[in-house]
Amino acid sequence: MYKLVILDADGTLFNYEEAEKYALRESFKLFSFEGDILDISNCYKEINLNLWLELEKGNITKEKLRYERFSRLFKKYKLEYDVNKFSDQYLLKLGESNFLIDEAEVVCKYLKNKGYKIIILTNGIKKVQVSRLEKSNIKDYIDNMIVSEEVGANKPDPVIFDYTFNLIGHNDKNNVIMIGDSLTADIQGGINHGIDTCWVNLNKIENTTNIIPKYEIHTLGELTTIL
């Protein structure tokens, strides 16, 4: 039924929570932070999530986001760290991490062996995503990775899907599926573009939105029952 499989990166293939913990811990260590790392990390997660949602809506640029999140965090905790230097260090550490979601490697190998074309489509920061993919065990199974920075548009904007289809020379929307963990970015983006969608709901969150995926899975391994 499908020939082209488009996968999100963070929360779908890569374990972003583990990567974030690692990057924050190592960055704060280098800046000699002596406070409660768990407390400040939880606050950062909330600030960061809200800013990424604003990015999806087009209310903030990615360039501003990468510094604004730490500017807000440091203001709350009355820290006088250099925001630019800290952000650069954080991105470096984030790029070093390549924590995968359970079964990600097995599923990617399965998809490749079945003959699917596999594309990663991500709103993430390019240098981080490229670095992590290169260090990961799934890189040889991925045909291409498209990062929103290259396009100038973020999921769920149909522009990024048009760009992806044109870049890889694929025209038939009927044999494409978008797979991701974000209802607002991945699933809404797929719906906007008229392609099938699969929601990776690893935490079994109740969907209280009007964004309805064609499929819903609770482990990556369940993809083998669909594809």
Side-chain angles (χ1 to χ4, degrees):
M1 181 176 179
Y2 300 111
K3 293 182 179 179
L4 173 62
V5 175
I6 304 177
L7 289 152
D8 176 48
D10 292 317
T12 302
L13 293 174
F14 290 96
N15 189 327
Y16 185 76
E17 286 192 9
E18 288 302 315
E20 183 181 73
K21 287 178 187 177
Y22 169 79
L24 284 172
R25 184 179 67 248
E26 294 302 308
S27 298
F28 277 117
K29 187 186 298 182
L30 287 170
F31 277 73
S32 303
F33 177 70
E34 297 180 352
D36 186 336
I37 187 66
L38 180 60
D39 181 65
I40 199 169
S41 295
N42 287 336
C43 182
Y44 168 80
K45 285 179 68 173
E46 183 177 354
I47 291 171
N48 189 47
L49 175 61
N50 288 332
L51 286 171
W52 279 99
L53 290 174
E54 289 302 304
L55 179 80
E56 290 175 15
K57 298 173 185 175
N59 295 335
I60 189 172
T61 65
K62 194 173 297 179
E63 183 63 30
K64 183 175 182 181
L65 178 151
R66 67 179 70 182
Y67 299 107
E68 178 66 18
R69 54 192 178 182
F70 293 113
S71 178
R72 294 184 185 184
L73 184 68
F74 296 164
K75 182 177 181 180
K76 179 176 175 62
Y77 283 85
K78 297 181 172 60
L79 298 173
E80 296 183 358
Y81 301 151
D82 184 302
V83 171
N84 292 344
K85 288 182 179 178
F86 191 95
S87 177
D88 291 345
Q89 183 61 51
Y90 172 78
L91 292 178
L92 180 65
K93 292 300 180 182
L94 202 59
E96 288 178 1
S97 67
N98 61 351
F99 303 102
L100 292 171
I101 294 290
D102 290 344
E103 301 180 287
E105 184 178 357
V106 171
V107 168
C108 286
K109 183 177 181 179
Y110 165 85
L111 294 175
K112 178 58 68 176
N113 288 340
K114 292 278 285 187
Y116 292 108
K117 190 165 190 174
I118 308 171
I119 305 294
I120 292 178
L121 182 59
T122 171
N123 281 354
I125 294 169
K126 184 174 181 177
K127 69 178 181 179
V128 172
Q129 303 297 54
V130 170
S131 176
R132 286 196 300 169
L133 181 59
E134 282 300 309
K135 291 179 172 65
S136 77
N137 293 333
I138 64 172
K139 66 175 183 178
D140 292 335
Y141 305 122
I142 307 301
D143 293 293
N144 206 334
M145 179 169 70
I146 294 156
V147 185
S148 58
E149 284 180 30
E150 306 168 18
V151 188
N154 300 290
K155 294 176 292 183
D157 192 329
V159 169
I160 194 170
F161 289 89
D162 287 332
Y163 177 92
T164 300
F165 275 55
N166 290 334
L167 182 69
I168 64 176
H170 194 94
N171 299 314
D172 189 354
K173 294 182 181 181
N174 294 318
N175 58 26
V176 183
I177 186 168
M178 173 74 221
I179 301 165
D181 68 302
S182 171
L183 286 170
T184 53
D186 304 313
I187 306 308
Q188 187 63 66
I191 291 170
N192 289 349
H193 200 65
I195 59 177
D196 284 353
T197 58
C198 177
W199 182 30
V200 181
N201 184 12
L202 300 180
N203 295 319
K204 299 182 180 180
I205 300 167
E206 181 183 1
N207 182 1
T208 59
T209 75
N210 60 358
I211 305 170
I212 309 300
K214 180 166 184 176
Y215 306 101
E216 178 180 336
I217 58 174
H218 300 136
T219 69
L220 270 185
E222 290 177 56
L223 277 176
T224 61
T225 65
I226 299 169
L227 301 170

